[in-house]
Amino acid sequence: MIYFTSDTHFGEPRALSIDRRPFANLAEHDAALIANWNETVAPEDDIWHLGDFASKRDGFAEQLLARLSGRKHLIVGNNDPPGTLEASGWHSVQHYAELTVDGQLLILCHYPFRTWNQMGKRSINLHGHSHGRLKPMPRQFDVGVDARGLRPVSLADLLPRLR
């Protein structure tokens, strides 16, 4: 399976206030997001994290990646520091990617696009950054945890006709 998520902001106190996530404290927040991730993603699955992964604290991202299931790919977000990009738990790190899943071309970036490659040929833009606050365009999906029940999603979750 292939999963997508974004904007987890593990270890970042602002996730509780700015993003208004329903947790009493940061430890509860991180524990819930880790549990949701690991309940969804199996060790042999691929998961694409579309940016804004975790706190800037030294070594935090690397320790966290070791606790999360799956082959992890990072699409760099505006809040991902060098320590996150250099953590050894990533299978790949890039700013943009295109991949085909179940015959569907996906355009992956942290930021939502106004237009994207092969948009007129029914490609799909997956993004984060907007924390569920942006009105989507057709064939554009915010895969951030705030928009997706605080857990990773599959393409079938986003496009029920594929189920």
Side-chain angles (χ1 to χ4, degrees), residues 7 9-10 12 30-31 33 38 44 47 58 64 70 80 87 93 96 105 108 119 129 134 141 145 150 154-155 159-160:
D7 300 288
H9 292 283
F10 289 110
E12 293 184 11
D30 288 359
L33 267 61
N38 289 335
E44 66 275 8
I47 178 157
D58 285 344
L64 186 56
D80 290 318
V93 175
Y96 172 93
L105 177 62
L108 311 179
M119 181 179 181
H129 189 65
L134 191 66
F141 298 92
V145 295
L150 302 172
S154 68
L155 189 57
L159 303 172

Side-chain angles (χ1 to χ4, degrees), residues 2 9 19 23 25 36 40 51 59 66 71 79 84 90 93 97 109 125 133 138 142-143 151:
I2 300 175
H9 292 283
D19 301 327
F23 303 100
N25 57 57
N36 289 349
T40 304
R71 279 184 306 274
N79 289 303
T84 292
W90 298 113
V93 175
C109 189
N125 172 221
R133 296 184 186 119
D142 182 347
V143 298
R151 66 177 55 244

Side-chain angles (χ1 to χ4, degrees), residues 32-88:
L33 267 61
I34 291 167
N36 289 349
W37 179 307
N38 289 335
E39 287 169 8
T40 304
V41 180
E44 66 275 8
D45 293 336
D46 281 289
I47 178 157
W48 289 82
H49 193 292
L50 304 190
D52 291 1
F53 178 66
S55 167
K56 296 171 175 53
R57 290 191 313 252
D58 285 344
F60 185 75
E62 190 144 346
Q63 292 170 9
L64 186 56
L65 285 164
R67 298 177 59 195
L68 297 169
S69 293
R71 279 184 306 274
K72 297 164 279 291
H73 305 268
L74 178 65
I75 299 293
V76 179
N78 59 303
N79 289 303
D80 290 318
T84 292
L85 308 185
E86 296 160 3
S88 65

